[in-house]
PDB file of all heavy atoms in Angstrom:
ATOM      1  N   LYS X 132      21.928 -11.317  -3.891  1.00  0.00           N
ATOM      2  CA  LYS X 132      21.355 -10.401  -4.878  1.00  0.00           C
ATOM      3  C   LYS X 132      21.892 -10.666  -6.285  1.00  0.00           C
ATOM      4  O   LYS X 132      21.436 -10.052  -7.237  1.00  0.00           O
ATOM      5  CB  LYS X 132      21.644  -8.958  -4.480  1.00  0.00           C
ATOM      6  CG  LYS X 132      21.000  -8.569  -3.162  1.00  0.00           C
ATOM      7  CD  LYS X 132      21.277  -7.129  -2.811  1.00  0.00           C
ATOM      8  CE  LYS X 132      20.616  -6.741  -1.497  1.00  0.00           C
ATOM      9  NZ  LYS X 132      20.850  -5.318  -1.159  1.00  0.00           N
ATOM     10  N   ASP X 133      22.818 -11.579  -6.414  1.00  0.00           N
ATOM     11  CA  ASP X 133      23.417 -11.890  -7.702  1.00  0.00           C
ATOM     12  C   ASP X 133      22.411 -12.645  -8.584  1.00  0.00           C
ATOM     13  O   ASP X 133      21.899 -13.699  -8.183  1.00  0.00           O
ATOM     14  CB  ASP X 133      24.682 -12.738  -7.490  1.00  0.00           C
ATOM     15  CG  ASP X 133      25.321 -13.136  -8.790  1.00  0.00           C
ATOM     16  OD1 ASP X 133      25.822 -12.247  -9.501  1.00  0.00           O
ATOM     17  OD2 ASP X 133      25.276 -14.350  -9.105  1.00  0.00           O
ATOM     18  N   HIS X 134      22.141 -12.086  -9.784  1.00  0.00           N
ATOM     19  CA  HIS X 134      21.141 -12.677 -10.687  1.00  0.00           C
ATOM     20  C   HIS X 134      21.448 -14.139 -11.014  1.00  0.00           C
ATOM     21  O   HIS X 134      20.546 -14.985 -10.997  1.00  0.00           O
ATOM     22  CB  HIS X 134      21.052 -11.866 -11.999  1.00  0.00           C
ATOM     23  CG  HIS X 134      20.361 -10.560 -11.842  1.00  0.00           C
ATOM     24  ND1 HIS X 134      19.005 -10.425 -11.911  1.00  0.00           N
ATOM     25  CD2 HIS X 134      20.851  -9.315 -11.596  1.00  0.00           C
ATOM     26  CE1 HIS X 134      18.677  -9.165 -11.726  1.00  0.00           C
ATOM     27  NE2 HIS X 134      19.784  -8.463 -11.525  1.00  0.00           N
ATOM     28  N   ALA X 135      22.698 -14.431 -11.311  1.00  0.00           N
ATOM     29  CA  ALA X 135      23.073 -15.807 -11.689  1.00  0.00           C
ATOM     30  C   ALA X 135      22.808 -16.773 -10.536  1.00  0.00           C
ATOM     31  O   ALA X 135      22.290 -17.878 -10.737  1.00  0.00           O
ATOM     32  CB  ALA X 135      24.545 -15.853 -12.113  1.00  0.00           C
ATOM     33  N   ARG X 136      23.152 -16.358  -9.330  1.00  0.00           N
ATOM     34  CA  ARG X 136      22.922 -17.214  -8.161  1.00  0.00           C
ATOM     35  C   ARG X 136      21.438 -17.418  -7.902  1.00  0.00           C
ATOM     36  O   ARG X 136      20.988 -18.526  -7.584  1.00  0.00           O
ATOM     37  CB  ARG X 136      23.564 -16.586  -6.927  1.00  0.00           C
ATOM     38  CG  ARG X 136      24.720 -17.419  -6.411  1.00  0.00           C
ATOM     39  CD  ARG X 136      25.335 -16.833  -5.192  1.00  0.00           C
ATOM     40  NE  ARG X 136      25.059 -17.693  -4.036  1.00  0.00           N
ATOM     41  CZ  ARG X 136      25.360 -17.370  -2.808  1.00  0.00           C
ATOM     42  NH1 ARG X 136      25.916 -16.222  -2.528  1.00  0.00           N
ATOM     43  NH2 ARG X 136      25.100 -18.202  -1.829  1.00  0.00           N
ATOM     44  N   LEU X 137      20.662 -16.335  -8.050  1.00  0.00           N
ATOM     45  CA  LEU X 137      19.211 -16.436  -7.856  1.00  0.00           C
ATOM     46  C   LEU X 137      18.600 -17.387  -8.879  1.00  0.00           C
ATOM     47  O   LEU X 137      17.731 -18.191  -8.540  1.00  0.00           O
ATOM     48  CB  LEU X 137      18.558 -15.054  -7.951  1.00  0.00           C
ATOM     49  CG  LEU X 137      18.862 -14.102  -6.793  1.00  0.00           C
ATOM     50  CD1 LEU X 137      18.410 -12.683  -7.133  1.00  0.00           C
ATOM     51  CD2 LEU X 137      18.198 -14.581  -5.508  1.00  0.00           C
ATOM     52  N   GLU X 138      19.071 -17.294 -10.113  1.00  0.00           N
ATOM     53  CA  GLU X 138      18.573 -18.203 -11.152  1.00  0.00           C
ATOM     54  C   GLU X 138      18.965 -19.639 -10.860  1.00  0.00           C
ATOM     55  O   GLU X 138      18.151 -20.551 -11.005  1.00  0.00           O
ATOM     56  CB  GLU X 138      19.110 -17.779 -12.531  1.00  0.00           C
ATOM     57  CG  GLU X 138      18.094 -16.986 -13.307  1.00  0.00           C
ATOM     58  CD  GLU X 138      18.552 -16.692 -14.715  1.00  0.00           C
ATOM     59  OE1 GLU X 138      18.929 -17.621 -15.450  1.00  0.00           O
ATOM     60  OE2 GLU X 138      18.506 -15.500 -15.058  1.00  0.00           O
ATOM     61  N   ALA X 139      20.205 -19.857 -10.461  1.00  0.00           N
ATOM     62  CA  ALA X 139      20.678 -21.211 -10.153  1.00  0.00           C
ATOM     63  C   ALA X 139      19.870 -21.831  -9.006  1.00  0.00           C
ATOM     64  O   ALA X 139      19.641 -23.038  -8.982  1.00  0.00           O
ATOM     65  CB  ALA X 139      22.168 -21.179  -9.796  1.00  0.00           C
ATOM     66  N   MET X 140      19.432 -20.984  -8.083  1.00  0.00           N
ATOM     67  CA  MET X 140      18.627 -21.461  -6.947  1.00  0.00           C
ATOM     68  C   MET X 140      17.162 -21.653  -7.337  1.00  0.00           C
ATOM     69  O   MET X 140      16.374 -22.172  -6.545  1.00  0.00           O
ATOM     70  CB  MET X 140      18.654 -20.426  -5.814  1.00  0.00           C
ATOM     71  CG  MET X 140      19.983 -20.153  -5.202  1.00  0.00           C
ATOM     72  SD  MET X 140      19.878 -18.720  -4.089  1.00  0.00           S
ATOM     73  CE  MET X 140      18.831 -19.348  -2.807  1.00  0.00           C
ATOM     74  N   ASN X 141      16.798 -21.161  -8.517  1.00  0.00           N
ATOM     75  CA  ASN X 141      15.417 -21.179  -8.980  1.00  0.00           C
ATOM     76  C   ASN X 141      14.512 -20.455  -7.970  1.00  0.00           C
ATOM     77  O   ASN X 141      13.433 -20.917  -7.608  1.00  0.00           O
ATOM     78  CB  ASN X 141      14.951 -22.617  -9.206  1.00  0.00           C
ATOM     79  CG  ASN X 141      13.865 -22.684 -10.250  1.00  0.00           C
ATOM     80  OD1 ASN X 141      13.505 -21.677 -10.866  1.00  0.00           O
ATOM     81  ND2 ASN X 141      13.338 -23.878 -10.445  1.00  0.00           N
ATOM     82  N   TYR X 142      15.021 -19.281  -7.512  1.00  0.00           N
ATOM     83  CA  TYR X 142      14.348 -18.534  -6.456  1.00  0.00           C
ATOM     84  C   TYR X 142      12.968 -18.042  -6.878  1.00  0.00           C
ATOM     85  O   TYR X 142      12.028 -18.068  -6.093  1.00  0.00           O
ATOM     86  CB  TYR X 142      15.231 -17.364  -5.994  1.00  0.00           C
ATOM     87  CG  TYR X 142      14.722 -16.714  -4.740  1.00  0.00           C
ATOM     88  CD1 TYR X 142      14.632 -17.439  -3.559  1.00  0.00           C
ATOM     89  CD2 TYR X 142      14.329 -15.384  -4.727  1.00  0.00           C
ATOM     90  CE1 TYR X 142      14.152 -16.857  -2.388  1.00  0.00           C
ATOM     91  CE2 TYR X 142      13.856 -14.795  -3.563  1.00  0.00           C
ATOM     92  CZ  TYR X 142      13.773 -15.532  -2.398  1.00  0.00           C
ATOM     93  OH  TYR X 142      13.294 -14.954  -1.244  1.00  0.00           O
ATOM     94  N   GLU X 143      12.823 -17.619  -8.132  1.00  0.00           N
ATOM     95  CA  GLU X 143      11.518 -17.144  -8.600  1.00  0.00           C
ATOM     96  C   GLU X 143      10.464 -18.252  -8.503  1.00  0.00           C
ATOM     97  O   GLU X 143       9.334 -18.014  -8.106  1.00  0.00           O
ATOM     98  CB  GLU X 143      11.615 -16.628 -10.036  1.00  0.00           C
ATOM     99  CG  GLU X 143      10.341 -15.999 -10.521  1.00  0.00           C
ATOM    100  CD  GLU X 143      10.460 -15.336 -11.873  1.00  0.00           C
ATOM    101  OE1 GLU X 143      11.364 -14.512 -12.067  1.00  0.00           O
ATOM    102  OE2 GLU X 143       9.632 -15.674 -12.740  1.00  0.00           O
ATOM    103  N   ALA X 144      10.852 -19.486  -8.845  1.00  0.00           N
ATOM    104  CA  ALA X 144       9.918 -20.613  -8.755  1.00  0.00           C
ATOM    105  C   ALA X 144       9.503 -20.850  -7.299  1.00  0.00           C
ATOM    106  O   ALA X 144       8.342 -21.177  -7.021  1.00  0.00           O
ATOM    107  CB  ALA X 144      10.542 -21.867  -9.341  1.00  0.00           C
ATOM    108  N   LYS X 145      10.436 -20.658  -6.372  1.00  0.00           N
ATOM    109  CA  LYS X 145      10.112 -20.814  -4.953  1.00  0.00           C
ATOM    110  C   LYS X 145       9.074 -19.774  -4.535  1.00  0.00           C
ATOM    111  O   LYS X 145       8.104 -20.096  -3.844  1.00  0.00           O
ATOM    112  CB  LYS X 145      11.378 -20.672  -4.096  1.00  0.00           C
ATOM    113  CG  LYS X 145      11.102 -20.783  -2.620  1.00  0.00           C
ATOM    114  CD  LYS X 145      12.345 -20.611  -1.781  1.00  0.00           C
ATOM    115  CE  LYS X 145      11.979 -20.729  -0.309  1.00  0.00           C
ATOM    116  NZ  LYS X 145      13.104 -20.546   0.564  1.00  0.00           N
ATOM    117  N   LEU X 146       9.274 -18.525  -4.978  1.00  0.00           N
ATOM    118  CA  LEU X 146       8.315 -17.467  -4.657  1.00  0.00           C
ATOM    119  C   LEU X 146       6.951 -17.756  -5.271  1.00  0.00           C
ATOM    120  O   LEU X 146       5.914 -17.530  -4.649  1.00  0.00           O
ATOM    121  CB  LEU X 146       8.838 -16.107  -5.125  1.00  0.00           C
ATOM    122  CG  LEU X 146      10.071 -15.585  -4.390  1.00  0.00           C
ATOM    123  CD1 LEU X 146      10.580 -14.309  -5.058  1.00  0.00           C
ATOM    124  CD2 LEU X 146       9.777 -15.351  -2.918  1.00  0.00           C
TER     125      LEU X 146
END
Side-chain angles (χ1 to χ4, degrees):
K132 297 181 179 181
D133 178 67
H134 286 275
R136 247 181 112 187
L137 290 168
E138 261 186 53
M140 297 170 67
N141 207 4
Y142 191 62
E143 186 173 308
K145 178 181 180 181
L146 293 173

